[in-house]
Amino acid sequence: MVCTAPTRLSSSSIVARYRLQQRAESRFFAQHRNLARKYAHQYSHQCLEPYEDLEQIASLGLLKAIRKFDPQRGTAFSSFAVPYITGEIGHHLRDRWDAIKTPRRLIEFYQRVERDQKRLAALGVERSLAEIAAILKSAPGAPKDDWEFIVLAVKKRVVSLTELAESGREP
């Protein structure tokens, strides 16, 4: 039995391999970036996190998937990458989740008011969020809570009970 000593790579060949790998990852990332954008877009409608932040988080998941993908296993890359992308977004949202949960109906109402404001602006009608909320409050299923309270709840601003009592509003 013949034993051979492991061949030592020169520093320049290690750097060359690293650069080649980086270029390949960059090309692969550019080809599949829309996959990360798709899931960032889906999650942006389910939470208040800005789309741009979710896109960055989804891109991190895509990079992790690229680095761990093994084409020898015969799996489609998109099928392999989706759990990494959605997992990364899920971890981010879970880590940023607050101990105080805002009721879903308030979040949905706030998003509806913002969406309607954008639609009206596109038609050339300028209305404040509070004005639109006042109009929508008469709609069936709209929350009866005060608009200021809804904004505070959705923006996760905690208000002390003392501050509420001093302002004359009820908790």
Side-chain angles (χ1 to χ4, degrees):
M1 179 156 88
V2 177
C3 292
T4 58
T7 56
R8 300 201 88 185
L9 298 173
S10 67
S11 297
S12 60
S13 66
I14 292 173
V15 170
R17 280 186 179 183
Y18 176 75
R19 287 185 180 151
L20 185 65
Q21 179 183 354
Q22 291 295 95
R23 282 194 298 268
E25 281 181 4
S26 293
R27 282 194 304 269
F28 208 67
F29 179 83
Q31 290 173 344
H32 295 281
R33 188 163 189 194
N34 285 337
L35 191 62
R37 286 181 177 150
K38 172 186 173 184
Y39 286 97
H41 183 72
Q42 280 182 358
Y43 275 86
S44 71
H45 294 295
Q46 298 173 12
C47 65
L48 292 174
E49 200 72 20
Y51 168 77
E52 292 79 13
D53 291 353
L54 292 173
E55 185 180 356
Q56 286 184 358
I57 300 300
S59 295
L60 287 174
L62 179 61
L63 282 174
K64 285 182 181 180
I66 288 170
R67 291 183 178 145
K68 294 184 179 195
F69 181 64
D70 181 12
Q72 308 281 319
R73 300 187 93 180
T75 314
F77 177 74
S78 58
S79 300
F80 181 81
V82 167
Y84 281 90
I85 294 168
T86 57
E88 200 67 31
I89 293 172
H91 287 288
H92 172 74
L93 294 176
R94 183 201 63 218
D95 293 345
R96 289 187 46 116
W97 184 59
D98 293 323
I100 301 170
K101 182 164 178 2
T102 304
R104 184 87 196 142
R105 64 186 172 79
L106 296 184
I107 293 172
E108 289 172 351
F109 183 72
Y110 184 84
Q111 289 173 337
R112 180 177 173 195
V113 170
E114 280 188 326
R115 192 172 45 249
D116 288 351
Q117 183 188 39
K118 289 177 185 172
R119 287 181 185 153
L120 287 172
L123 297 172
V125 179
E126 294 298 322
R127 295 266 196 251
S128 72
L129 291 175
E131 290 173 326
I132 297 170
I135 294 167
L136 291 177
K137 274 193 153 327
S138 61
K144 300 304 176 204
D145 300 297
D146 183 36
W147 174 247
E148 292 175 31
F149 171 76
I150 293 172
V151 172
L152 292 174
V154 169
K155 299 291 185 182
K156 303 288 187 188
R157 181 165 179 269
V158 179
V159 179
S160 71
L161 292 175
T162 308
E163 186 180 336
L164 281 175
E166 288 172 359
S167 71
R169 292 181 15 221
E170 290 192 27

